[in-house]
Amino acid sequence: MTQYIDKSWHGIRQTVFEVQGDPDEPVAAVKLPVAWGHHAAAALAAVFPERRAIDIAVAAEAWIAPIAQRAAETGISATMAADLHALLAARRGAPVASVWGGEARPGEAGAPGFVLNPNGFLDDTGGFDVAGFGAAVELAVCALTLAVPSAHRLAIGFTDLNLLLARLGLDYDSAAGRDAAVLLAALVSGRARVASARLLARGAAPGYAVPDWPALPAACGIAGLARAAEAALQAARNAGHCRHEILSGFGGAAAIEALLGAETVGFAPAASALDETGALRHWARARLAALGLTAEAALAAMLAGENVLAPPRVAAHRAMHDALSPYVDMMPARPEIAAPARRVAARETLPARRTGYTQKAAVGGHKLFVSTGEYANGRLGEIFIALHKEGSAFRGLMDAFAIAVSLGLQHGVPLEDYVEAFTFTRFGPAGAVEGDPAVLHATSMIDYVFRNLAVNYLGSHHVLPAAAESTDTVGDGGADRSPLLPLDLPAPAPRERRRAFKLVG
């Protein structure tokens, strides 16, 4: 049986991308427009992690068809299917992943959502399709309501604001950039409430009142947007109560935003001008074009000390968050400005010729050598831990651990802090200690190392409690029982019931 493909996808050149979310997972074959690229294919594969073959048109039809059927039955729209397919094929908008999978449910924590990509409404000349964007908002409200009729909280949002502002020649960290974002959010909220008011059932509960929005900016860099946003809010006020308590919101749709081609999530600023391959991101190229700079001119400016592609600061993100909050029902957490980093002490290098000692010991029958390096005043500055017959992975981890501890000691971390943190850590090999009269029993090799260091550099003896010395690290047998070692399970003690062991991968 031939699967239905909406005509919105006709004439769009498509290809199959092979994507793999994890090296241990099988490859998924994802068919979508070739211009969308590998990132979009990976995003769609993330929406359907169990599928090995995905066709975007077929996958879209699976969630669109039930919505379109209900729209026709209720007389809301006879073109719902074509409108939703066209919106997606143009990368102008799509619902969140739960709607794609038919798992959308009402609820405060996971309101059904729809993401609009304003860059899909901006042409190459900088003209923005304000009417088309407003119509898409109303279409999204109708689609989500038909998908989840019992939901009274929806989240209609937009994505990749950073790229939109760059294409318009507006700085993200500017009053003009924030005004454009505010008017866009106001248009979403107003048109969404107008659509919701139309859907309010006759004879049902009175619904939800319109919020008290503050005054809008008078203008912005998008022609006609201020007038359309003001008209949308006024229409929402005139419509009165609406069906939904909440209608606008950001967050929780990273895969869908990537499917729509977004470089940054929601209204967040870009973190870098370069992508993972080292090439300029779209927003960086758009900013250079808006500034009238070639790549060569931009490089010259940067060499002269002017960073024309510096990503916005966290403070700019906070200012954008504050500007949008009055017009958006559900906002993510306000970005936090990190506290100034603690100044790290300068590294104190060890002398070329240094003193120290090497201690040979065995823990639970497993030999190791602990070597130290000291400063001229006798203070510990480095340690080495050499193992005798352990596996290469264990030896490598122990080497890396010793290097990390040594670097900490050389940057001023007190040995007391390490001793406090690592004594009595429990893992095999463990048990009786041979070759070091100062430490008779250890719960692990790490425990032994730091109890040895405590004796020799701090003059303190960290004594293992007697109750702990009489047991191994994993069982409840006597002290004569061998510790549990990798790939070396101990034999059960006579007349003793072994505990059940669970293998954890």
Side-chain angles (χ1 to χ4, degrees):
M1 180 177 177
T2 304
Q3 291 176 305
Y4 172 77
I5 302 296
D6 187 86
K7 66 178 182 180
S8 300
W9 300 96
H10 296 172
I12 299 178
R13 182 169 169 245
Q14 300 194 44
T15 190
V16 175
F17 294 90
E18 292 188 348
V19 298
Q20 191 174 20
D22 187 275
D24 296 329
E25 295 179 357
V27 174
V30 181
K31 183 180 180 182
L32 45 64
V34 64
W36 292 21
H38 190 273
H39 284 298
L44 188 58
V47 175
F48 302 103
E50 303 301 323
R51 298 190 188 179
R52 303 277 69 87
I54 308 169
D55 185 318
I56 188 169
V58 175
E61 178 64 17
W63 65 263
I64 290 175
I67 293 173
Q69 182 178 352
R70 294 177 192 136
E73 292 171 351
T74 55
I76 292 178
S77 173
T79 62
M80 180 68 72
D83 293 341
L84 289 173
H85 273 291
L87 193 71
L88 176 60
R91 290 185 109 176
R92 287 184 160 193
V96 296
S98 60
V99 177
W100 284 74
E103 300 172 352
R105 297 286 185 273
E108 184 171 333
F114 208 102
V115 180
L116 297 173
N117 181 11
N119 290 283
F121 297 85
L122 187 68
D123 61 31
D124 293 336
T125 65
F128 188 78
D129 184 3
V130 176
F133 187 82
V137 172
E138 296 194 16
L139 176 64
V141 173
C142 291
L144 291 181
T145 302
L146 293 169
V148 194
S150 58
H152 292 277
R153 300 168 68 91
L154 306 181
I156 315 296
F158 54 84
T159 187
D160 216 359
L161 174 67
N162 185 81
L163 175 60
L164 178 71
L165 297 180
R167 293 177 66 187
L168 293 169
L170 300 175
D171 288 336
Y172 183 96
D173 188 10
S174 68
R178 288 188 288 274
D179 287 348
V182 163
L183 291 169
L184 197 65
L187 180 60
V188 170
S189 293
R191 294 292 290 267
R193 289 197 171 270
V194 169
S196 180
R198 293 198 193 107
L199 294 169
L200 184 61
R202 293 177 179 271
Y208 301 95
V210 174
D212 185 16
W213 292 300
L216 290 171
C220 73
I222 302 177
L225 180 57
R227 184 170 60 254
E230 185 59 53
L233 296 189
Q234 188 56 49
R237 296 186 188 100
N238 295 340
H241 291 73
C242 62
R243 174 172 177 153
H244 301 90
E245 177 188 9
I246 284 177
L247 282 154
S248 56
F250 293 98
I256 298 302
E257 295 183 51
L259 180 66
L260 295 175
E263 288 182 327
T264 55
V265 175
F267 62 90
S272 172
L274 302 177
D275 62 18
E276 60 276 7
T277 67
L280 286 177
R281 292 190 178 274
H282 291 145
W283 78 266
R285 294 197 294 267
R287 177 164 177 78
L288 292 181
L291 294 173
L293 293 176
T294 63
E296 182 179 354
L299 177 60
M302 295 179 73
L303 291 175
E306 180 185 358
N307 194 352
V308 296
L309 294 177
R313 301 164 299 168
V314 175
H317 193 185
R318 287 166 62 93
M320 186 66 76
H321 185 284
D322 295 343
L324 292 174
S325 292
Y327 304 93
V328 179
D329 298 325
M330 290 187 292
M331 292 287 288
R334 190 169 186 253
E336 295 293 334
I337 297 179
R342 291 175 54 190
R343 185 174 180 180
V344 179
R347 182 179 180 183
E348 184 181 355
T349 57
L350 285 156
R353 186 181 182 91
R354 65 202 72 164
T355 58
Y357 69 85
T358 297
Q359 174 72 57
K360 177 184 176 182
V363 178
H366 291 250
K367 294 180 182 179
L368 76 159
F369 295 83
V370 180
S371 299
T372 66
E374 301 171 352
Y375 290 99
N377 60 3
R379 181 166 59 89
L380 179 65
E382 65 182 355
I383 65 171
F384 300 94
I385 306 171
L387 304 181
H388 187 52
K389 290 185 178 180
E390 309 304 325
S392 59
F394 194 13
R395 292 200 308 271
L397 287 172
M398 195 67 82
D399 288 343
F401 176 78
I403 292 172
V405 171
S406 299
L407 287 173
L409 292 169
Q410 293 164 27
H411 282 86
V413 178
L415 175 60
E416 292 90 336
D417 290 354
Y418 285 119
V419 171
E420 182 67 25
F422 294 114
T423 50
F424 307 140
T425 51
R426 291 179 168 272
F427 57 87
V433 175
E434 301 174 28
D436 187 350
V439 183
L440 301 179
H441 195 280
T443 58
S444 66
M445 286 188 170
I446 295 294
D447 170 48
Y448 167 72
V449 168
F450 285 96
R451 289 169 67 192
N452 173 276
L453 295 175
V455 170
N456 288 283
Y457 288 98
L458 302 178
S460 61
H461 290 258
H462 287 62
V463 180
L464 191 66
E469 289 195 16
S470 65
T471 61
D472 60 34
T473 60
V474 295
D476 56 1
D480 293 336
R481 292 279 303 280
S482 299
L484 178 63
L485 305 178
L487 305 180
D488 182 18
L489 294 176
R495 298 182 184 178
E496 181 184 1
R497 183 182 180 86
R498 280 292 304 277
R499 281 189 180 182
F501 287 87
K502 182 179 180 181
L503 180 62
V504 179

